[in-house]
Amino acid sequence: MTATRAQCPETRHDRHGPRQPARPAAVTGAAERRADPEHAAGTGRPPQPDELRRVFGAFPTGVTAIAALVDGTPVGLAASSFTTVSLDPPLVSVCVAHTSTTWPLLRDRARIGVSVLGAHQESACRRLAARDGDRFQGLDWRVTPAGAVLIEGAGAWFECGIEQHLRAGDHDIVLLRVHALDADRAVAPLVFHASRFRRLESAAESRSPGDPRPAGDQEST
Ligand SMILES: Cc1cc2nc3c(=O)[nH]c(=O)nc-3n(C[C@H](O)[C@H](O)[C@H](O)COP(=O)(O)O)c2cc1C
């Protein structure tokens, strides 16, 4: 599978906080980066936040909604740091910034919902990351008997309990134990890459004319 850019992603997001203004193209090209001692490997200089954002962002991810009911109201945030961890015991993880004002409300919940957002849920994702307004306004969601909030129409969902918090720099790695889960493989995932929302495209559709492999051989999962 390959990823294509979404049609209207003009707002660039970044889960690692506010970005510095973009540098002029002249200093961001590959040739200039090679010549720029700031980008030279092995200089001993620690990587700078902007550089980390740019390079971390080259790793494509899905996007999840992490949510639970708090005092009868759904509370949540968008998170692209979700990772599956272990089958036995069943564990997943998510990294949450120490600056998050939402996580402190969620961290003592008995159950937390993790919804893997679909390609059609880009605006839901933007809303779930918004600084202002009701993040759940206009969203279809449901609550489990134990209080986890799940987004309807997502490609997969997990009902989790918090197993462990591990302090890791400016984030916490939150280890979550999975108590219930399901997936709808018919839902195409939302993809986040280089600060933009993208969609998957089947390899058969994007195959270059010179590629001799049959389409079925190109599926990676
Ligand atoms: C695509 C996307 C992915 C994000 N991933 C994370 C993440 O993995 N961890 C995190 O702490 N914040 C992440 N954020 C930021 C949160 O969704 C949210 O904006 C941030 O926590 C600030 O809101 P809060 O103060 O209500 O927590 C992401 C935002 C976007 C748009």
Side-chain angles (χ1 to χ4, degrees):
M1 304 288 262
T2 56
T4 55
R5 233 183 86 176
Q7 292 304 301
C8 52
E10 291 318 317
T11 313
R12 289 168 73 95
H13 287 276
D14 198 316
R15 79 172 185 87
H16 288 285
R19 300 155 60 90
Q20 297 303 310
R23 291 194 295 161
V27 295
T28 56
E32 288 76 8
R33 272 200 304 277
R34 276 193 298 275
D36 180 354
E38 273 196 18
H39 287 88
T43 56
R45 181 188 57 80
Q48 300 301 294
D50 263 8
E51 193 181 0
L52 289 164
R53 285 191 186 94
R54 182 178 62 81
V55 179
F56 283 4
F59 181 61
T61 66
V63 191
T64 60
I66 311 290
L69 214 58
V70 178
D71 297 334
T73 304
V75 169
L77 72 159
S80 57
S81 56
F82 170 82
T83 306
T84 58
V85 175
S86 162
L87 295 181
D88 184 15
L91 298 171
V92 298
S93 71
V94 66
C95 294
V96 186
H98 292 161
T99 51
S100 171
T101 55
T102 298
W103 184 247
L105 303 174
L106 295 174
R107 61 177 299 153
D108 64 351
R109 298 291 96 189
R111 293 286 183 268
I112 289 184
V114 179
S115 305
V116 178
L117 298 179
H120 61 294
Q121 291 175 316
E122 181 181 326
S123 62
C125 177
R126 291 178 193 278
R127 181 163 283 282
L128 286 162
R131 295 262 166 208
D132 307 311
D134 174 1
R135 287 185 174 169
F136 286 82
Q137 193 185 8
L139 294 192
D140 269 349
W141 56 274
R142 67 192 163 91
V143 62
T144 69
V149 167
L150 302 168
I151 307 300
E152 296 285 11
W157 60 264
F158 303 81
E159 187 180 34
C160 303
I162 296 180
E163 188 84 357
Q164 204 178 323
H165 275 94
L166 179 65
R167 216 172 158 80
D170 53 16
H171 281 59
D172 273 4
I173 301 171
V174 184
L175 203 55
L176 299 163
R177 180 180 285 255
V178 178
H179 293 277
L181 73 170
D182 202 1
D184 180 352
R185 293 191 69 166
V187 177
L190 183 62
V191 176
F192 192 58
H193 172 254
S195 302
R196 291 183 185 279
F197 294 105
R198 300 170 195 263
R199 287 153 206 240
L200 291 182
E201 173 182 295
S202 96
E205 289 161 31
S206 63
R207 190 166 34 156
S208 64
D211 191 333
R213 288 174 299 168
D217 284 2
Q218 298 180 337
E219 291 280 346
S220 57
T221 53

